[in-house]
Amino acid sequence: MTRITQASTSADSALLKDFLDAKADQYNRPSFIERDPISIPHRFSRRQDIEIMGFWAAVLAWGQRPVILKKANELIDLMDGSPYDFVRSHQESDLTRFLAFKHRTFNATDALYFLHFFRTYYQENDSLEDAFVTDSTSTTGNTVESALVAFHDRFCCDPFFPDRTRKHIATPARNSSCKRLLMFLRWMVRRDDRGVDFGLWTRLRPEQLVMPIDVHVNRVARSLGLLNRPQTDWKAAIELTDALRQFDPADPVRYDFALFGLGVEGEM
């Protein structure tokens, strides 16, 4: 087991960077995919299928990973193995099969609205990226904050929107850490040659991404002195991202692999 104490000097900071670089390299590889929710969109090659199931898998990503993968695969089966085709061409009678779907607090009402949103959205748009990048502030800001706010407001503005579904779509405007949406954005935006993240979107940039903080990242980041804010909220996500940006200003969220891997694999 490797142990690194809090960085308090430049030498400590350099040591911590070397350690995190090595761990990011260790976990950012195809073997990471199999047991992670990102395996769900990796089942597909068409952009829209990747977006739909990447988004849905990220939203369902709380609890034990095997259960998350089971429920996401169940959704794919309910959509006849072709999410994009299903959301565009399903009949009302096809929706009854979703009435029994449930994952923790996500239920059939939420699933039916997701299908309604996707159908309405993809009738007018080619990529889900356009729901996040709606004005110049989304592409020129230091972070994806305005993109998350814009997506939340668009997702929730439909006259058929059920208020209970709001809790599944976080926003920095409520000071949420936005963990699941930030994870989805990492998948869509980060670009490298490692084969894990997709890098499909280009209007948002890797340097704008903010760290998704789950229980593993939270614990490891605090133990390494990278996060001190008591609450795990949007301000904490920014604090952690700023700390990691000192190590890699162009791609701070690549350290998600290091912090999550260290936690979930029990190295720390």
Side-chain angles (χ1 to χ4, degrees):
M1 179 182 297
T2 305
R3 291 191 176 274
I4 299 291
T5 57
Q6 292 187 11
S8 59
T9 68
S10 58
D12 291 333
S13 181
L15 179 62
L16 180 54
K17 179 185 185 324
D18 289 344
F19 174 67
L20 293 177
D21 285 341
K23 289 301 174 181
D25 180 70
Q26 175 183 337
Y27 292 111
N28 185 14
R29 56 187 61 202
S31 59
F32 178 88
I33 295 172
E34 182 179 359
R35 293 182 295 165
D36 191 80
I38 201 173
S39 65
I40 298 301
H42 269 288
R43 288 185 52 179
F44 303 96
S45 57
R46 183 164 50 181
R47 178 190 186 101
Q48 292 85 357
D49 287 322
I50 293 170
E51 291 177 344
I52 291 168
M53 286 316 305
F55 180 79
W56 218 327
V59 169
L60 297 181
W62 78 101
Q64 296 182 343
R65 287 197 290 172
V67 178
I68 296 167
L69 299 183
K70 176 183 177 182
K71 301 307 291 187
N73 280 309
E74 182 181 328
L75 280 171
I76 294 172
D77 291 340
L78 290 172
M79 290 184 281
D80 301 323
S82 183
Y84 183 52
D85 289 338
F86 184 87
V87 301
R88 287 191 304 167
S89 61
H90 66 265
Q91 303 299 311
E92 187 172 352
S93 59
D94 297 323
L95 299 178
T96 58
R97 67 184 76 169
F98 292 86
L99 296 180
F101 184 82
K102 181 178 176 60
H103 174 59
R104 298 174 76 96
T105 64
F106 190 98
N107 67 14
T109 298
D110 307 313
L112 292 174
Y113 181 74
F114 271 47
L115 291 169
H116 168 76
F117 172 81
F118 286 137
R119 182 170 194 168
T120 302
Y121 180 82
Y122 281 110
Q123 286 175 344
E124 301 177 354
N125 301 274
D126 186 58
S127 171
L128 196 57
E129 182 178 17
D130 295 328
F132 288 85
V133 184
T134 59
D135 54 47
S136 61
T137 60
S138 295
T139 57
T140 61
N142 292 329
T143 73
V144 293
E145 179 173 354
S146 63
L148 290 172
V149 172
F151 176 79
H152 171 273
D153 293 348
R154 179 162 190 169
F155 188 88
C156 301
C157 73
D158 191 283
F160 295 103
F161 177 75
D163 193 61
R164 62 151 283 118
T165 306
R166 190 180 305 273
K167 65 177 175 291
H168 298 298
I169 307 298
T171 172
R174 295 198 297 267
N175 200 28
S176 169
S177 67
C178 300
K179 184 265 292 189
R180 293 189 288 274
L181 287 179
L182 290 175
M183 182 172 65
F184 171 67
L185 289 182
R186 194 205 87 197
W187 297 350
M188 296 297 106
V189 174
R190 278 199 75 254
R191 294 180 291 277
D192 57 25
D193 60 355
R194 308 306 295 271
V196 182
D197 292 326
F198 292 92
L200 291 177
W201 296 356
T202 59
R203 297 169 66 194
L204 294 170
R205 305 183 309 279
E207 64 264 30
Q208 292 177 288
L209 294 174
V210 175
M211 276 289 296
I213 306 180
D214 73 346
V215 293
H216 303 291
V217 169
N218 190 28
R219 175 168 54 84
V220 174
R222 293 183 187 281
S223 71
L224 294 175
L226 295 167
L227 178 60
N228 296 304
R229 181 174 172 79
Q231 302 90 343
T232 303
D233 54 14
W234 181 253
K235 293 178 181 177
I238 294 297
E239 178 186 319
L240 176 55
T241 305
D242 286 344
L244 295 170
R245 192 173 279 121
Q246 297 180 50
F247 300 146
D248 190 342
D251 190 14
V253 174
R254 76 183 180 93
Y255 293 112
D256 188 20
F257 290 102
L259 300 182
F260 177 78
L262 285 165
V264 76
E265 297 298 331
E267 289 197 61
M268 293 189 64

